[in-house]
Amino acid sequence: MTELAYDLHIHSCLSPCGDDDMTPANIAGMAALKGLDAVALTDHNSCKNCPAFLAAAKEYGIIGIPGMELTTSEEVHAVCLFPELYQAMEFDRFVYSRLIKVKNRPEIFGKQQIYDENDSVYREESCLLINAVNLSFEGLWEKAASYGGVMFPAHIDKNSNSLIANLGFIPPDSSFQTVELKDMKKLHSLKREHPYLEHCRIISNSDAHYLEHINERGFTLPAAERSAKAVVDTLRRGLF
């Protein structure tokens, strides 16, 4: 086993709320500068910048993991990660077919830029990506798994767009084994209120929309090897 310093929730300039400097290559470069081992790109409801990001991550010698932050029909945010790029892009096509289509207005919501492997914009996404997807939180674990991936609820301690805030509870028949907290100081009180968390691996990511907000080296995950597959396997197993 090896311990990998991670940040598994980062937005590029494809997310309308992401800063224009959050290009795939800039993200990989900043992650390497901060000493991270494993980094995931998780734009809102899209994996379309993951090919460029994985190419840049390879150049910088870090583990790039393709993924997205999906918005369910209940407007719960959940991170979905995949061991292989082709799995992420197949999931991307499925999610895009379920996305509520509204034309983006860049002057209001922000640009949605898709980059090539030369870190240049080659097109913009026209449909607003921060809308909900016609897919319930119930069954999302199984849906991500059917594409070879893993799902974990995002920032469950936030008072909006989180599993607890939007549903009011953690469904007792849930299958996820990992959850994300923004503020680890809230962990003990959350465990008292939601015993399901006692069985989960707890991780903390930056949810960065600006380069300077990407995590410093600190939080680590155990993994069987230095690979995206090993990271996804750890998240899928949780504590067990």
Side-chain angles (χ1 to χ4, degrees):
M1 299 292 287
T2 185
E3 291 287 329
L4 301 176
Y6 68 88
D7 191 345
L8 304 179
H9 185 171
I10 297 175
H11 294 269
S12 79
C13 50
L14 175 55
S15 294
C17 43
D19 186 67
D20 287 349
D21 287 338
M22 294 291 277
T23 71
N26 282 350
I27 292 169
M30 181 61 77
L33 187 65
K34 292 193 171 190
L36 298 178
D37 300 305
V39 179
L41 184 62
T42 56
D43 284 307
H44 287 292
N45 296 320
S46 182
C47 299
K48 291 183 175 65
N49 263 349
C50 288
F53 172 66
L54 262 60
K58 184 177 181 180
E59 288 293 320
Y60 280 102
I62 62 175
I63 302 164
I65 303 171
M68 72 167 62
E69 183 178 22
L70 186 144
T71 304
T72 71
S73 55
E74 304 92 350
E75 299 199 357
V76 173
H77 286 186
V79 173
C80 301
L81 303 180
F82 301 87
E84 301 287 347
L85 179 60
Y86 79 89
Q87 297 165 323
M89 300 314 293
E90 288 176 358
F91 189 71
D92 173 270
R93 286 188 284 273
F94 166 74
V95 170
Y96 195 77
S97 72
R98 297 290 192 96
L99 178 68
I100 298 173
K101 302 297 194 299
V102 175
K103 186 175 177 60
N104 183 35
R105 298 180 62 183
E107 71 279 9
I108 296 175
F109 300 109
K111 292 180 285 187
Q112 300 181 147
Q113 300 173 316
I114 302 174
Y115 272 65
D116 62 22
E117 293 187 5
N118 296 315
D119 211 38
S120 298
V121 179
Y122 77 93
R123 71 183 180 90
E124 291 195 22
E125 173 55 54
S126 60
C127 290
L128 184 62
L129 292 172
I130 56 174
N131 281 337
V133 172
N134 185 19
L135 188 65
S136 175
F137 183 83
E138 181 182 5
L140 181 55
W141 167 274
E142 288 78 11
K143 178 58 69 175
S146 73
Y147 286 83
V150 66
M151 178 277 288
F152 58 83
H155 43 64
I156 65 165
D157 52 325
K158 288 182 66 175
N159 57 14
S160 63
N161 297 120
S162 71
L163 178 62
I164 294 173
N166 286 38
L167 297 190
F169 66 104
I170 297 178
D173 58 348
S174 295
S175 299
F176 59 82
Q177 302 297 311
T178 297
V179 298
E180 176 191 273
L181 263 65
K182 184 66 175 175
D183 183 358
M184 281 292 198
K185 294 193 292 289
K186 298 178 181 179
L187 178 58
H188 294 301
S189 61
L190 282 170
K191 280 186 174 182
R192 286 196 299 269
E193 297 167 11
H194 306 280
Y196 186 92
L197 298 178
E198 292 287 352
H199 306 287
C200 293
R201 180 180 297 280
I202 310 298
I203 63 174
S204 185
N205 300 302
S206 68
D207 191 10
H209 293 71
Y210 296 86
L211 288 171
E212 61 268 27
H213 293 164
I214 293 173
N215 275 355
E216 302 287 341
R217 185 178 182 90
F219 295 114
T220 63
L221 277 175
E225 60 183 16
R226 289 180 57 89
S227 70
K229 180 181 183 302
V231 173
V232 169
D233 286 346
T234 293
L235 300 175
R236 186 180 291 116
R237 288 195 311 270
L239 293 177
F240 306 101

